[in-house]
Amino acid sequence: MTRTTYDVAIVGAGSVGVPAAWAMARSGLRVVVLDRLASPGQGSNKTAIGGVRATHSEPAKIRLCLRSLEIASTWHEVYGDDIEWTTGGYSFVAYREREEAILKGLLDTQIASGLQIDWHDADALLEIAPDLARDGLRGGTFSPNDGHCSPLLLGHAMYEQARRAGAEFRFGETVTGLEATDGRVRGVLTDSGRIDAPVVVNAAGAWAPQIGEMVGLAHPIAPDSHEGGITEPVAPFLGPMIVDIRPTEAASNCYFFQLATGQIVFALTPEPIFPGYDCTETSTFLPIVSRRMVALVPRLTNLRVRRTWRGLYPMSPDGAPLVGWSREVEGYLMAIGMCGHGFMLGPGLGEILDRVVRDDLVDGDSAILEGLSPTRSFESQAALK
C-alpha cells in the first residue's frame, strides 16, 4: 500500500474543500484533498445556483461572505478567468407586516457586521426592481454588493489555482477510515492506501456525519434536498436576486435572479422538507415555484423552463455551519453543516481554515469561530437561512 505524508488531508473536493486547499497551499502547507467522485465539485456544489451574498442574519456568516464577495467579484481582474460574475445585489421583499418587521429588525446587526444594506419603501424598491408586483408591496431591503456567478466556472478556477499552488487532489479515492490514537488524528485510510497527516479537515458536505463516525463523533448534521431550475435566456431586465421569505403550506421561501447569460435561475425551500439523500426531481416543485415567481414578477409569465434539478443541503440544528477543532480528537477540524450556503461561504471560509491550521489568526477570526463553534448551544435559529 502507498504511504504518503502531508501536513493536512482534506476530505471533500467541493465548495469548502477546494478553497481551503487553495488557501493552505498558498501558505506553504503540504495538502492533499480526497474525494470519491471523479472531479471537483461533483457533490452538492454543482447543484448550487451561484448566489453569493453577505446578507445573512448571523455576524459570522456576514463577515465570511464579505470576504467571499471580495474574492469572487475581483476574480477576473486578479486571475483572468471569466466566472460570469455579476454584481446585481440582493433584495429581500416584504408584502406583509411580518416580513417587514423581520427584515428591519436585522438591519442593525447586518450594518454593524460590515454589510452595506438599507430598507427601501415600495416606491424606492421599484426603482431598483421595477418589475416587482406593486399590489401590497411594503418595501424591502437591498444589499447592492451581493452578486452571483457560475459555480462550475469559479469552482474549476479555484481548483486550478490550488493545483498551481501545490495542492494535490486524489479523485475516485474513497475514505474508508480515519486513524486516531491517543486522542489525536494520525492519518486517513482510503481504498488505495494510507495517508499520514496530523490534521484532517472534514469538508464532506452532506456526507460529513459518516466521516465523523470514523473517529467516534456524532455530528448534528442532517441533509435534506432542495430543487432548482433554469429558464431559457432572455434580454436582461432583472437586476437583483429577489428573495421572498413568506412561508406557505408548500414552501418557506422563494428566490430567483437573472444570470449574466440571460437565463432566470430559481429555487425554493420546500415545506415540509425532504430529509435524506434522494436527489430525484419531483413533480410538485415547478408548479409551486412558478406560481410564486409569477406573482412576484408577472413579466415572467410566458418564460419557458429549460430544466430542473435537485441537490442536498447539509443542515445544522440552528441553520449555521460548524467550524472548528474537535475537543475529543486533536487534529480533527470540522467545516461542516453549510446549510446550502457552502458556495458563498467557501472562499472566505477556506482562508480562515488555513489560519486555524497554522495557528495564525487575524483580527476578527476569533469572533467568527466563536459564532460557528461546533460546541455552541444551538438554541437560536438563523433568521435568514
Side-chain angles (χ1 to χ4, degrees), residues 169-186:
F169 289 80
R170 298 189 182 185
F171 296 111
E173 190 164 344
T174 300
V175 173
T176 58
L178 302 184
E179 184 173 309
T181 58
D182 300 323
R184 73 156 296 115
V185 165
R186 306 292 178 181

Side-chain angles (χ1 to χ4, degrees), residues 85-139:
W85 174 260
T86 300
T87 303
Y90 266 61
S91 180
F92 284 71
V93 299
Y95 284 85
R96 302 186 312 183
E97 184 177 353
R98 174 187 179 274
E99 285 71 40
E100 179 178 356
I102 290 172
L103 296 172
K104 286 182 174 179
L106 295 173
L107 287 175
D108 286 346
T109 296
Q110 292 171 329
I111 293 170
S113 300
L115 179 65
Q116 184 179 344
I117 190 170
D118 204 352
W119 172 265
H120 299 263
D121 63 19
D123 288 340
L125 193 62
L126 288 168
E127 292 289 327
I128 297 167
D131 289 292
L132 281 171
R134 286 164 164 73
D135 188 23
L137 180 64
R138 303 176 69 93

Side-chain angles (χ1 to χ4, degrees), residues 44-327:
S44 298
N45 177 263
K46 69 179 181 180
T47 64
I49 65 172
V52 183
R53 63 175 163 99
T55 307
H56 294 282
S57 52
E58 310 81 26
K61 292 174 71 174
I62 293 171
R63 289 166 181 151
L64 281 175
C65 285
L66 285 172
R67 177 56 184 151
S68 293
L69 278 168
E70 185 178 5
I71 293 170
S73 64
T74 61
W75 190 274
H76 184 266
E77 176 186 349
V78 175
Y79 298 103
D81 304 301
D82 180 11
I83 61 169
E84 297 179 356
W85 174 260
T86 300
T87 303
Y90 266 61
S91 180
F92 284 71
V93 299
Y95 284 85
R96 302 186 312 183
E97 184 177 353
R98 174 187 179 274
E99 285 71 40
E100 179 178 356
I102 290 172
L103 296 172
K104 286 182 174 179
L106 295 173
L107 287 175
D108 286 346
T109 296
Q110 292 171 329
I111 293 170
S113 300
L115 179 65
Q116 184 179 344
I117 190 170
D118 204 352
W119 172 265
H120 299 263
D121 63 19
D123 288 340
L125 193 62
L126 288 168
E127 292 289 327
I128 297 167
D131 289 292
L132 281 171
R134 286 164 164 73
D135 188 23
L137 180 64
R138 303 176 69 93
T141 58
F142 180 59
S143 43
N145 295 329
D146 291 338
H148 52 84
C149 63
S150 164
L152 299 180
L153 291 175
L154 179 57
H156 183 74
M158 295 188 78
Y159 162 68
E160 289 295 338
Q161 288 296 329
R163 290 184 58 210
R164 290 169 190 162
E168 182 177 338
F169 289 80
R170 298 189 182 185
F171 296 111
E173 190 164 344
T174 300
V175 173
T176 58
L178 302 184
E179 184 173 309
T181 58
D182 300 323
R184 73 156 296 115
V185 165
R186 306 292 178 181
V188 181
L189 303 176
T190 78
D191 55 3
S192 296
R194 175 194 160 114
I195 295 168
D196 288 324
V199 173
V200 173
V201 179
N202 185 347
W207 298 269
Q210 291 90 317
I211 301 301
E213 289 172 0
M214 296 177 181
V215 286
L217 299 177
H219 296 317
I221 304 299
D224 61 65
S225 57
H226 295 233
E227 288 181 84
I230 188 169
T231 72
E232 63 185 341
V234 292
F237 75 95
L238 186 62
M241 166 92 81
I242 304 298
V243 186
D244 179 11
I245 61 172
R246 284 176 292 180
T248 66
E249 292 183 0
S252 58
N253 57 40
C254 173
Y255 45 100
F256 53 93
F257 66 96
Q258 188 169 25
L259 293 172
T261 48
Q263 301 96 324
I264 304 294
V265 179
F266 53 90
L268 56 71
T269 298
E271 181 61 42
I273 63 169
F274 296 100
Y277 292 85
D278 185 4
C279 287
T280 307
E281 297 99 312
T282 68
S283 60
T284 57
F285 166 69
L286 195 53
I288 294 169
V289 73
S290 60
R291 282 194 293 268
R292 289 196 64 161
M293 290 169 62
V294 169
L296 285 163
V297 178
R299 185 172 176 175
L300 298 171
T301 299
N302 295 317
L303 204 55
R304 291 175 294 188
V305 174
R306 285 281 178 85
R307 67 183 181 94
T308 62
W309 61 88
R310 194 172 172 196
L312 300 177
Y313 278 26
M315 298 301 297
S316 71
D318 61 1
L322 281 65
V323 178
W325 294 112
S326 165
R327 289 182 177 176

